[in-house]
């Protein structure tokens, strides 16, 4: 706007048509330059926003990949226990030993159900069920899952203060929240460090 004002002031000072043409050309070039500069700055900002979004998406996919790998490993361990106990059940002849093998298979199946529930909560497809629980006991259960998303080079340390504090919480929803915090803490550490 100030550029147009200055150009207009110079044009009205002279009656020479060459001055009018010269001032008009300079003003037009300045306006075009400003427009191109603004357009380039906008393009760079869009590219920066796109790159940041891509980086965030890659970090999320990396976290999901590590979590999926850990869950697959845990689930495979549970299936191995179930299959092993069922095969053992067919080989045993003592009823008490057979019942123990069957009980172990049922316990492993319940652990698998817990893993599935955690995945459903992580995917936000399970209703919230709040119960009173002691904080340290809830976190001790979650700590067992955390190493699946912490790279081997990072020293993962846990310090849970024993207390009698009880809160109403859904342990299944607390797990993905804590896992997200752990993952967010792991990202800046890279391959080495202490968490």
């Amino acid at each position: 706007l100030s550029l147009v004002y200055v150009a207009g002031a110079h044009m009205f000072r002279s009656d020479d048509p060459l001055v009018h043409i010269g001032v008009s050309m300079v003003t037009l070039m300045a306006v075009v330059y400003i427009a191109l500069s603004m357009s380039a700055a906008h393009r760079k900002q869009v590219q920066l926003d796109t790159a940041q979004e891509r980086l965030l998406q890659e970090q999320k996919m990396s976290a999901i990949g590590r979590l999926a790998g850990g869950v697959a490993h845990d689930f495979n361990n549970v299936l191995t226990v179930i299959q092993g106990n069922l095969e053992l059940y067919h080989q045993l002849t003592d009823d008490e030993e057979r019942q123990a093998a069957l009980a172990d298979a049922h316990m492993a199946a319940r652990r698998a159900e817990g893993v599935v529930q955690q995945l459903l909560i992580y995917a936000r497809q399970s209703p919230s069920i709040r119960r009173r629980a002691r904080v340290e006991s809830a976190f001790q259960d979650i700590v067992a899952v955390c190493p699946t998303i912490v790279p081997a080079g990072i020293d993962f340390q846990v310090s849970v203060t024993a207390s009698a504090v009880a809160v109403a919480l859904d342990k299944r929803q607390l797990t993905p929240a804590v896992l997200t915090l752990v993952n967010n803490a792991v990202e800046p550490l890279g391959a080495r460090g202490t968490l």
Side-chain angles (χ1 to χ4, degrees):
L1 188 61
S2 59
L3 183 65
V4 172
Y5 175 75
V6 170
H10 282 292
M11 282 176 59
F12 291 120
R13 284 187 189 166
S14 173
D15 291 334
D16 188 0
L18 287 176
V19 170
H20 288 262
I21 293 171
V23 169
S24 297
M25 291 295 287
V26 168
T27 303
L28 179 63
M29 287 190 297
V31 168
V32 168
Y33 174 77
I34 291 170
L36 289 174
S37 296
M38 290 175 64
S39 175
H42 178 71
R43 273 196 310 274
K44 284 183 181 179
Q45 185 62 45
V46 167
Q47 288 172 347
L48 179 63
D49 291 346
T50 303
Q52 287 175 336
E53 181 66 31
R54 193 177 312 123
L55 177 63
L56 182 63
Q57 194 63 26
E58 286 173 7
Q59 289 173 340
K60 285 181 185 177
M61 292 307 292
S62 173
I64 289 171
R66 284 196 308 274
L67 180 64
V71 167
H73 179 73
D74 290 348
F75 210 77
N76 189 44
N77 289 344
V78 170
L79 289 177
T80 301
V81 171
I82 293 171
Q83 289 173 336
N85 278 294
L86 291 176
E87 287 174 14
L88 187 61
Y89 175 85
H90 291 296
Q91 293 173 3
L92 294 171
T93 55
D94 182 47
D95 280 343
E96 194 172 305
E97 290 177 344
R98 289 181 87 188
Q99 289 305 317
L102 208 54
D104 286 346
H106 279 291
M107 192 166 64
R110 281 193 293 279
R111 274 200 317 266
E113 183 182 21
V115 170
V116 169
Q117 284 301 317
Q118 288 179 351
L119 287 174
L120 288 174
I121 288 166
Y122 198 75
R124 293 179 170 80
Q125 295 184 3
S126 181
S128 175
I129 302 169
R130 293 180 185 216
R131 294 194 175 102
R132 276 192 87 61
R134 291 177 58 196
V135 174
E136 73 276 6
S137 107
F139 276 99
Q140 285 172 346
D141 292 343
I142 297 168
V143 165
V145 181
C146 288
T148 61
I149 63 170
V150 177
I154 294 177
D155 181 26
F156 182 66
Q157 300 174 4
V158 179
S159 174
V160 179
T161 304
S163 68
V165 176
V167 294
L169 58 85
D170 186 339
K171 280 192 196 180
R172 301 171 311 158
Q173 290 185 344
L174 185 63
T175 300
V178 172
L179 290 178
T180 299
L181 288 173
V182 169
N183 181 60
N184 289 345
V186 164
E187 289 296 331
L189 290 176
R192 300 208 173 282
T194 301
L195 174 63

